[in-house]
Amino acid sequence: MSKGVSGNVFDINLLKRVLTYVLPYKGKFYFTGFLVVSLAFLAPIRPLLIQYAVDNFILVPNSVMLYNITLVLIGLLILESVLQFAQTYLANWLGQSVVKDLRVDVYKKINNFKLQYFDKTPIGTLVTRVVSDLETISDIFSQGILIIIGDILKLLAVVVFMLIQDWQLTLVMLLPMPILFIATNWFKNYIKLAFQDVRTAISNLNTFVSEHLTGMSIVQVFNRQEKELRSFKEINELHKQANIRTVWANSIFFPVVEVLSAISLALLVWWGAGDVVAGKTTLGTLTAFIMYINMLYRPIRQLADKFNTLQMGMVASERVFKVLDTEASIDNKGNNKADNIQGEIEFKNLWFSYTDENWILKGINFYSTPGQTIAFVGATGAGKTSVINLLGRFYEYQKGEILIDGKDIRKYDLNALRSSLGVVLQDVFLFSDTIINNISLRNPEITKTQIIEASKKVGAHEFISKLPGGYQYNVKERGGMLSSGQRQLIAFIRAYVYNPQILILDEATSSVDSETERLIQKAIDILTKDRTSIIIAHRLATIQKADNIIVMEQGEIVEQGSHNELIRRNGVYQNLFELQFSNV
């Protein structure tokens, strides 16, 4: 993050950055500020009018003037209510508008992070940033900075009105104020640390719940419910303790304010009553000062609440801007479009590491002409999946070159490059949406007719038609209402309708039954026709027709050639082949 962003409640740099999101709505922001200032100076007028009424129309009875001034007071109250409504509505509207724009920026930033960022960052943490942290930032406007300014102005206005009327009585009444300032400063420092703990606890809780709900099947299969429940209780206890520390601070501070308010009232009555008897002040002034005490201490008490809100908003802002300041995106400086890619692929002496310590790929070299099918085989961890991740620039390689149609992939526009690739993964991810939307990904250029036609070619139309609602069937989260084979077929239809120039299949038949594998193999034959295809497979029977089979071990290519060529070499591929078919 930028320097100066420390989470302090009055961190000017951080506050300025938040306020930059107000610029599109500056007219409403200034008008809201005007309403806040107006309310601050309207409030002290009522005690002044009451003072005037007591001294001139009650002690010296004048029912007509008392009636008139009562009407003025009622009108003033109505005006204050209308202004208060407008100020509250606009402040909340501003907060929600700022959060809407900020949430779009945060989500857009996260959307462009390279996959390596998600490897290291818990999803629950990002959910907290995008949802609850941003909602907390909205309170900066609805309950924070503007209201605090208004309360401070109201306090200043009240003190000025009091000093003008009776400066001695004012000073006597304000004697407890130094104690109040000390208590407020303590409260400010303590609550800052407490709220930082609260936000951390919320993030940890979200992360735990998100991960364990996603992996609930593993928890139950290995009978870990009790152990994970104990872990959840520990995290939940830390969350409770963090919140209790804020409650503890509030439970001390608010009674202190009430006691000091009572002391001020007692000093006012003690000193003021003597002045009234001595004729130094009037009963109306004393009545007004009693109202002024409430106007002084109530905003101070509320100021503490608003301070809490502002502090939480600043802590949340710091966390959100830390995400925005994170440089974890793939550089997109290329300007070449990928509309007419033919599918020629070449890896030249490519080296890649996830951590800059252990090389995952070491000196990879291979070449594919347009329309060829390349298959990668090898043990788990050999580096096969890393090859396809690098081809789509989901990770950045350290040394060597990757060329498509003779051009470095970094010279292609990133979105255009990825649009030219179609990927079917082993673990198919489906959104909680209809089948038709999971296939089209809500692309308006893909019609239902195209989807149905593709489904028929892939062999999935029959099972989809039998589902309740057919193509409008909601597959729920991660496609949980479908079998793994059905999810694979949906992924194949998705790849087919997008008509990519280069097709990538990563273990696409490793977790399906024989019947579904037959359908998928048919789909593979259709999809790979006349387009460059890269297939990663453990089942060697599925890749025997490949033009070039590349065998990998520990990040290196140890053999490559056609199926018949590799069998004749009597090497690693032949051993893998014999192991798989020895029991057939």
Side-chain angles (χ1 to χ4, degrees), residues 233-252:
K233 286 180 177 179
E234 292 174 3
I235 295 174
N236 198 35
E237 177 66 21
L238 293 175
H239 178 264
K240 183 194 79 171
Q241 293 298 332
N243 279 281
I244 285 178
R245 284 195 288 275
T246 67
V247 173
W248 183 80
N250 283 295
S251 64
I252 292 177

Side-chain angles (χ1 to χ4, degrees), residues 77-283:
L77 281 171
I78 293 173
L79 177 61
E80 281 190 62
S81 299
V82 171
L83 294 180
Q84 186 67 52
F85 164 78
Q87 180 257 310
T88 302
Y89 177 81
L90 286 174
N92 280 274
W93 185 91
L94 274 170
Q96 291 303 316
S97 297
V98 166
V99 163
K100 179 202 69 174
D101 295 343
L102 189 53
R103 182 174 282 126
V104 169
D105 283 354
V106 174
Y107 188 78
K108 182 179 179 182
K109 182 75 174 185
I110 293 173
N111 230 13
N112 291 303
F113 281 158
K114 50 191 173 185
L115 294 183
Q116 195 166 6
Y117 179 84
F118 299 100
D119 295 340
K120 300 177 180 178
T121 306
I123 298 302
T125 298
L126 294 176
V127 171
T128 302
R129 301 294 175 267
V130 176
V131 182
S132 61
D133 279 342
L134 281 166
E135 283 302 322
T136 305
I137 292 175
S138 73
D139 293 338
I140 292 176
F141 299 93
S142 60
Q143 304 176 42
I145 186 69
L146 290 173
I147 310 302
I148 287 175
I149 292 173
D151 286 344
I152 292 174
L153 288 175
K154 185 182 292 186
L155 290 173
L156 293 174
V158 167
V159 171
V160 169
F161 272 65
M162 291 167 60
L163 288 171
I164 291 173
Q165 292 177 71
D166 191 327
W167 67 270
Q168 289 181 319
L169 190 59
T170 301
L171 293 178
V172 170
M173 195 191 74
L174 294 179
L175 284 176
M177 281 296 170
I179 300 175
L180 182 61
F181 291 146
I182 293 172
T184 302
N185 186 62
W186 169 85
F187 180 76
K188 174 179 74 70
N189 293 330
Y190 185 88
I191 209 72
K192 169 194 167 184
L193 298 175
F195 277 135
Q196 287 174 338
D197 291 341
V198 167
R199 300 313 303 172
T200 300
I202 290 174
S203 179
N204 291 339
L205 194 60
N206 283 345
T207 299
F208 184 91
V209 172
S210 176
E211 288 181 349
H212 285 73
L213 287 181
T214 303
M216 185 56 68
S217 59
I218 300 299
V219 172
Q220 293 184 358
V221 165
F222 288 93
N223 196 29
R224 300 289 292 174
Q225 293 96 320
E226 290 299 322
K227 173 63 173 64
E228 299 305 330
L229 179 60
R230 287 195 297 271
S231 298
F232 176 78
K233 286 180 177 179
E234 292 174 3
I235 295 174
N236 198 35
E237 177 66 21
L238 293 175
H239 178 264
K240 183 194 79 171
Q241 293 298 332
N243 279 281
I244 285 178
R245 284 195 288 275
T246 67
V247 173
W248 183 80
N250 283 295
S251 64
I252 292 177
F253 181 70
F254 291 146
V256 168
V257 175
E258 292 296 330
V259 169
L260 294 176
S261 174
I263 292 173
S264 287
L265 182 60
L267 290 171
L268 175 66
V269 172
W270 168 68
W271 187 278
D275 282 354
V276 171
V277 172
K280 294 180 180 180
T281 191
T282 66
L283 185 60

Side-chain angles (χ1 to χ4, degrees), residues 8-40:
N8 295 327
V9 69
F10 292 115
D11 189 322
I12 299 300
N13 292 328
L14 185 58
L15 191 57
K16 282 181 178 178
R17 190 169 181 185
V18 174
L19 291 177
T20 58
Y21 283 85
V22 179
L23 292 177
Y25 316 104
K26 60 183 179 181
K28 288 184 173 64
F29 180 76
Y30 291 143
F31 184 63
T32 306
F34 169 76
L35 293 176
V36 168
V37 174
S38 300
L39 285 166

Side-chain angles (χ1 to χ4, degrees), residues 5 113 353 375 408 411 413 464 507 528 541:
V5 179
F113 281 158
S353 170
D408 193 309
K411 294 181 179 179
D413 174 77
I464 294 176
E507 307 284 3
T528 57

Side-chain angles (χ1 to χ4, degrees), residues 373 453-460 489 492-493 495-497 499-500 503 505 518-533 535 545:
T373 296
E453 184 64 27
S455 301
K456 289 178 179 178
K457 288 187 176 181
V458 170
L489 289 172
F492 270 92
I493 301 170
Y496 187 89
V497 296
N499 193 28
L503 178 67
L505 306 178
R518 184 184 62 79
L519 292 174
I520 289 177
Q521 192 59 53
K522 177 183 176 182
I524 290 175
D525 293 339
I526 294 172
L527 282 169
T528 57
K529 185 178 180 181
D530 298 327
R531 64 163 54 91
T532 304
S533 304
I535 302 174
K545 296 179 182 179

Side-chain angles (χ1 to χ4, degrees), residues 338-347 366 368-374 387-388 391-392 402-407 409 412 416-424 495-496 498-505 527-535:
D339 300 333
N340 299 312
I341 281 181
Q342 300 301 307
E344 180 187 39
I345 299 174
E346 184 174 8
F347 277 54
F366 70 87
S368 169
T369 59
Q372 276 193 330
T373 296
I374 305 171
V387 170
I388 62 174
L391 186 62
I402 300 177
L403 307 176
I404 293 181
D405 289 357
K407 297 178 183 176
I409 60 171
Y412 285 99
L417 172 68
R418 290 178 178 172
S419 295
S420 68
L421 304 177
V423 182
V424 179
Y496 187 89
Y498 271 86
N499 193 28
Q501 291 95 327
I502 298 173
L503 178 67
I504 297 171
L505 306 178
L527 282 169
T528 57
K529 185 178 180 181
D530 298 327
R531 64 163 54 91
T532 304
S533 304
I534 297 177
I535 302 174

